[in-house]
């Protein structure tokens, strides 16, 4: 049985970044475990590719996400330039459709500055200003422009993996965990292929599976989660540039962690509309609805016994989910939602589905969605749950913060000088 100092469960952008920092600062035996054949095969590689400016994040409720995202913007840019990864500075305009939504944009402008965004990178526009930047096809009351970027998080995560491997991290792919066995000074990890490893310390950052893993360590027993698939439609090439920027709309249900539909400019030059938020039984149900009957039954049982049960009594939630199902079943329904701010769109412009992604928000025992990431420590392990959007944007800085917390706890001691200086650890920590 092979022994490691630290095992990281989850080869997404967060787990890969954590492995980069630890291997960069320490001479330890580190491994990253993932059931897929490479990194970023799920949420980290199945997103819009937008590097977000955190103007829309409440600086009190989502402080960690906001600060990490703002700091990470320049870190991603440095990596993209050094690895020749796409970096398309297309910008994002959050549009308001009436005076009430305009007041939300005014609030966002204040939030952005509180989150550390340079005021020069945010601009409140009237409807004519929006048309000047995005194009004549956008109809709105006003808009808030931010200097967002479209990139390829899948490729960037693979580049971080390469740096981490150079620092001696071992990536264990196609390894599905069967069980964890807690020992006094270590954790034994057994896989379904009958192989095993042992580690002195485990870091759980496995995205949509992180809560289930944390519960195996007797954490978050009264919490639950739900998986929501976001679907997109790709605009035919001749319609890809009818709008020149990303267009987001002010959320109508800010208490729920869903994205209102938007127009996205991808780094590869394509444009898409979406997403919706369709409940699915697993964090890998990218097509259809029920593909894994045992998991579906288990998840329904979780809903009926956990905090998620209380959501079923919320009429606003039920109404929203009904609309989301309609946009999944009907392309016309999704296009109609986007037509609220791009009225010239037609359903015939979209003939191909985009890449679906899944978001897994965690629900408290009282039936409310948790707004920010949660971290908990158990014996010989550290667990990160509810790491959702804009998680990819903030991963470089957030992962550095995780390492700093492990240093403060005495789990990681006396770091070396950095082996790779692409990103500066101390500078990041000072900013957070």
């Amino acid at each position: 049985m092979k022994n490691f100092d630290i095992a990281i469960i989850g080869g997404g952008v967060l787990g890969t970044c954590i492995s980069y920092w630890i291997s960069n600062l320490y001479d330890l035996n580190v491994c990253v475990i993932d059931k897929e054949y490479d990194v970023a095969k799920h949420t980290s590689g199945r997103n819009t590719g937008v590097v977000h400016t955190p103007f829309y994040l409440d600086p009190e409720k989502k402080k960690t996400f906001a600060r990490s995202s703002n700091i990470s913007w320049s870190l991603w840019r440095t990596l993209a330039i050094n690895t020749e990864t796409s970096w398309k500075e297309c910008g994002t305009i959050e549009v308001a459709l009436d005076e009430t939504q305009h007041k939300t944009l005014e609030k966002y402008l204040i939030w952005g500055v509180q989150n550390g965004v340079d005021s020069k990178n945010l601009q409140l526009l009237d409807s004519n200003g929006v048309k000047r930047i995005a194009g004549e096809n956008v109809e709105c009351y006003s808009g808030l422009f931010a200097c967002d970027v479209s990139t390829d998080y899948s490729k960037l995560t693979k580049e971080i993996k390469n740096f981490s491997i150079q620092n001696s991290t071992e990536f264990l792919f196609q390894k599905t965990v069967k069980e964890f066995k807690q020992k006094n000074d270590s954790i034994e990890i057994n896989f379904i292929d009958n192989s095993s490893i042992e580690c002195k310390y485990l870091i759980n950052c496995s995205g949509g599976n992180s809560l289930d893993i944390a519960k195996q360590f007797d954490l978050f027993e009264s919490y639950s989660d739900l998986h929501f698939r976001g679907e997109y439609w790709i605009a035919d090439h001749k319609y890809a540039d009818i709008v020149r920027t990303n267009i987001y709309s002010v959320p109508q249900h800010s208490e729920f962690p869903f994205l209102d539909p938007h127009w996205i400019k991808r780094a590869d030059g394509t444009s898409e509309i979406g997403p919706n938020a369709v409940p699915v039984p697993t964090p890998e149900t990218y097509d259809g609805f029920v593909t894994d009957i045992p998991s579906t039954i288990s998840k329904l049982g979780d809903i009926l016994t956990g905090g998620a049960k209380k959501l079923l009594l919320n009429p606003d939630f039920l109404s929203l989910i009904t609309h989301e199902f309609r946009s999944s079943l009907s392309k016309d329904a999704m296009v109609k939602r986007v037509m609220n701010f791009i009225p010239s769109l037609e359903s015939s412009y979209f003939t191909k589905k985009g890449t679906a992604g899944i978001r897994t928000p965690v629900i408290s025992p009282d039936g409310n969605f948790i707004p920010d990431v949660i971290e908990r420590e158990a014996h010989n392990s550290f667990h990160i749950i509810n790491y959702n959007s804009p998680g990819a944007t903030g991963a470089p800085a957030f992962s550095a913060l995780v390492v700093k917390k492990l240093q403060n706890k005495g789990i990681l001691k006396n770091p070396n000088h950095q082996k790779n200086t692409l990103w500066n650890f101390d500078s990041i920590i000072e900013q957070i």
Side-chain angles (χ1 to χ4, degrees):
M1 183 184 300
K2 194 163 187 177
N3 294 295
F4 293 91
D5 295 304
I6 295 177
I8 300 168
I9 306 292
V13 63
L14 180 59
T16 306
C17 282
I18 292 173
S19 79
Y20 167 82
W21 286 121
I22 295 176
S23 65
N24 204 19
L25 294 166
Y26 295 91
D27 294 319
L28 297 172
N29 293 323
V30 180
C31 71
V32 176
I33 300 167
D34 199 279
K35 62 184 177 182
E36 305 299 344
Y37 61 88
D38 203 348
V39 296
K41 301 309 293 184
H42 292 291
T43 303
S44 299
R46 302 178 73 98
N47 52 51
T48 60
V50 176
V51 184
H52 293 279
T53 302
F55 62 82
Y56 58 95
L57 298 177
D58 187 324
E60 296 298 325
K61 295 180 178 179
K62 289 202 168 188
K63 180 178 180 180
T64 303
F65 272 142
R67 295 296 299 175
S68 298
S69 296
N70 191 54
I71 294 167
S72 295
W73 198 98
S74 62
L75 303 178
W76 282 130
R77 183 178 184 274
T78 298
L79 179 61
I81 291 173
N82 277 269
T83 58
E84 298 183 350
T85 302
S86 299
W87 185 261
K88 184 176 181 179
E89 297 184 7
C90 55
T92 291
I93 301 178
E94 183 107 4
V95 295
L97 302 182
D98 53 36
E99 176 64 26
T100 299
Q101 291 190 352
H102 176 75
K103 292 185 182 301
T104 299
L105 296 186
E106 292 179 332
K107 178 179 66 176
Y108 284 174
L109 189 62
I110 296 171
W111 281 3
V113 175
Q114 291 177 341
N115 289 333
V117 180
D118 190 330
S119 59
K120 297 178 182 178
N121 294 327
L122 295 171
Q123 186 179 359
L124 197 59
L125 307 166
D126 60 17
S127 59
N128 290 327
V130 171
K131 288 179 179 293
R132 185 176 64 253
I133 295 175
E136 292 294 325
N137 289 299
V138 180
E139 296 289 345
C140 62
Y141 182 90
S142 61
L144 180 61
F145 176 81
C147 298
D148 284 1
V149 171
S150 289
T151 189
D152 183 344
Y153 282 117
S154 181
K155 183 176 186 301
L156 289 175
T157 305
K158 291 176 183 178
E159 297 292 352
I160 299 166
K161 176 193 71 174
N162 293 337
F163 283 117
S164 192
I165 289 173
Q166 291 173 18
N167 294 331
S168 299
T169 297
E170 190 169 341
F171 282 78
L172 306 179
F173 291 121
Q174 296 182 300
K175 291 290 185 180
T176 301
V177 175
K178 180 180 179 181
E179 63 178 350
F180 301 94
K181 289 186 177 180
Q182 186 76 60
K183 300 183 178 181
N184 288 333
D185 298 316
S186 65
I187 298 172
E188 181 181 317
I189 306 173
N190 296 313
F191 303 108
I192 61 172
D193 64 1
N194 295 321
S195 64
S196 300
I197 66 166
E198 197 165 298
C199 65
K200 296 178 182 177
Y201 200 82
L202 179 142
I203 300 173
N204 166 26
C205 50
S206 54
N209 296 300
S210 60
L211 179 62
D212 291 338
I213 289 177
K215 286 184 175 183
Q216 295 183 52
F217 290 82
D218 300 322
L219 298 173
F220 305 106
E221 292 182 338
S222 58
Y223 287 71
S224 53
D225 59 16
L226 290 173
H227 311 297
F228 293 94
R229 182 176 67 220
E231 301 162 334
Y232 292 83
W233 283 90
I234 302 172
D236 286 349
H237 178 72
K238 59 184 175 181
Y239 304 113
D241 293 323
I242 61 173
V243 176
R244 295 190 291 265
T245 68
N246 296 328
I247 303 291
Y248 283 65
S249 53
V250 173
Q252 297 184 39
H253 300 274
S254 59
E255 70 274 27
F256 301 134
F258 310 134
L259 295 174
D260 280 51
H262 44 251
W263 170 275
I264 289 295
K265 303 291 292 183
R266 290 260 184 192
D268 62 4
T270 60
S271 296
E272 299 183 6
I273 59 168
N276 45 17
V278 181
V280 290
T282 78
E284 290 92 33
T285 307
Y286 298 116
D287 298 296
F289 180 65
V290 177
T291 57
D292 185 339
I293 299 299
S295 293
T296 302
I297 294 173
S298 175
K299 179 55 63 177
L300 288 175
D302 189 31
I303 291 174
L304 293 175
T305 58
K309 178 182 178 181
K310 297 182 180 179
L311 283 174
L312 300 180
L313 303 177
N314 187 324
D316 290 335
F317 176 75
L318 293 177
S319 175
L320 177 62
I321 292 303
T322 299
H323 286 294
E324 298 301 314
F325 269 121
R326 287 173 183 168
S327 64
S328 176
L329 296 171
S330 169
K331 177 180 63 174
D332 291 346
M334 181 180 288
V335 173
K336 186 175 181 179
R337 295 168 72 183
V338 182
M339 287 174 64
N340 286 327
F341 48 88
I342 311 177
S344 61
L345 288 185
E346 295 182 14
S347 183
S348 61
Y349 293 180
F350 305 91
T351 56
K352 182 180 178 182
K353 278 199 169 186
T355 300
I358 293 178
R359 177 184 294 202
T360 303
V362 173
I363 303 162
S364 68
D366 59 2
N368 293 315
F369 288 108
I370 303 294
D372 206 353
V373 62
I374 311 176
E375 302 156 295
R376 294 276 173 84
E377 188 176 9
H379 182 59
N380 295 342
S381 62
F382 188 79
H383 302 261
I384 304 166
I385 70 167
N386 207 46
Y387 190 77
N388 290 311
S389 179
T393 295
F398 184 86
S399 58
L401 181 61
V402 169
V403 171
K404 182 62 178 178
K405 289 179 179 178
L406 296 179
Q407 291 176 346
N408 292 341
K409 293 175 181 293
I411 295 161
L412 295 172
K413 303 176 181 179
N414 305 319
N416 303 324
H417 292 294
Q418 289 190 209
K419 301 170 188 174
N420 176 279
T421 57
L422 178 74
W423 298 333
N424 185 281
F425 182 81
D426 292 332
S427 175
I428 293 170
I429 297 302
E430 287 174 3
Q431 294 178 71
I432 294 178

